Amino acid sequence: MSYIKKIALIVILSLVACTAVSGDDSVDNLVKVKINDDVFDVKLENNSATQDLIKELKKGNVTVNASEYGGFEKVGNLGFSLPTNDENVATNPGDIVLYQGDKLSLFYGSHSWSYTKLGKIDNVDSNKLKEVLGSGNVTLEFSLK
């Protein structure tokens, strides 16, 4: 085998090895949330809470009955607890956070408090999100892609 072929083989094997080590986490950090008839992609944070949430989602969809709170979010009980990594977070429309370890909040407005950030709805217009969430209670159904 020529010197150039050996170098090319080493480069190719190195790239394959790097890809195998880094993996493709796009499947593990994307979930869906269904709100009424609208479905949105959610990009999850990388923390212990989202890792445990993914484990729950592998068992089946997670439904949260959320109610209006403060004029800027919908909040509801998860039905189970997740590990917390609370820090002061300034939320924006589309942010999804864990509150007190067992409550999930989906923001259509902004607020600042101590939360564990779970993720954010991808590419959603804040007016559209507010319209979809409506003014009363809403059911949020989370699922794996």
Side-chain angles (χ1 to χ4, degrees):
M1 188 181 292
S2 75
Y3 177 74
I4 292 177
K5 286 182 180 177
K6 286 180 184 177
I7 295 294
L9 182 60
I10 289 171
V11 168
I12 290 169
L13 290 175
S14 296
L15 289 172
V16 169
C18 287
T19 302
V21 169
S22 68
D24 180 10
D25 63 351
S26 63
V27 172
D28 289 341
N29 73 351
L30 288 176
V31 298
K32 295 208 178 273
V33 61
K34 182 177 179 184
I35 307 167
N36 301 322
D37 294 326
D38 293 286
V39 179
F40 301 95
D41 289 328
V42 176
K43 184 172 184 187
L44 295 178
E45 295 290 313
N46 183 13
N47 59 41
S48 57
T50 58
Q51 291 165 6
D52 281 8
L53 178 59
I54 289 170
K55 289 177 188 174
E56 290 293 327
L57 289 170
K58 286 180 179 179
K59 297 176 192 175
N61 294 353
V62 172
T63 302
V64 176
N65 296 313
S67 57
E68 181 65 36
Y69 184 82
F72 49 82
E73 70 180 307
K74 300 290 184 174
V75 63
N77 288 318
L78 274 171
F80 53 87
S81 293
L82 295 172
T84 59
N85 305 317
D86 289 347
E87 57 185 57
N88 192 28
V89 175
T91 63
N92 293 299
D95 284 342
I96 301 171
V97 300
L98 179 67
Y99 177 66
Q100 295 183 341
D102 64 350
K103 293 169 191 61
L104 183 137
S105 292
L106 170 56
F107 288 86
Y108 59 86
S110 298
H111 187 61
S112 186
W113 199 258
S114 185
Y115 302 113
T116 297
K117 194 160 184 192
L118 295 177
K120 183 171 186 73
I121 295 178
D122 272 348
N123 302 319
V124 68
D125 175 81
S126 60
N127 291 327
K128 162 90 172 158
L129 183 59
K130 189 172 183 176
E131 178 185 315
V132 168
L133 289 171
S135 60
N137 296 347
V138 67
T139 300
L140 311 172
E141 184 178 2
F142 292 87
S143 63
L144 295 175
K145 283 193 115 182

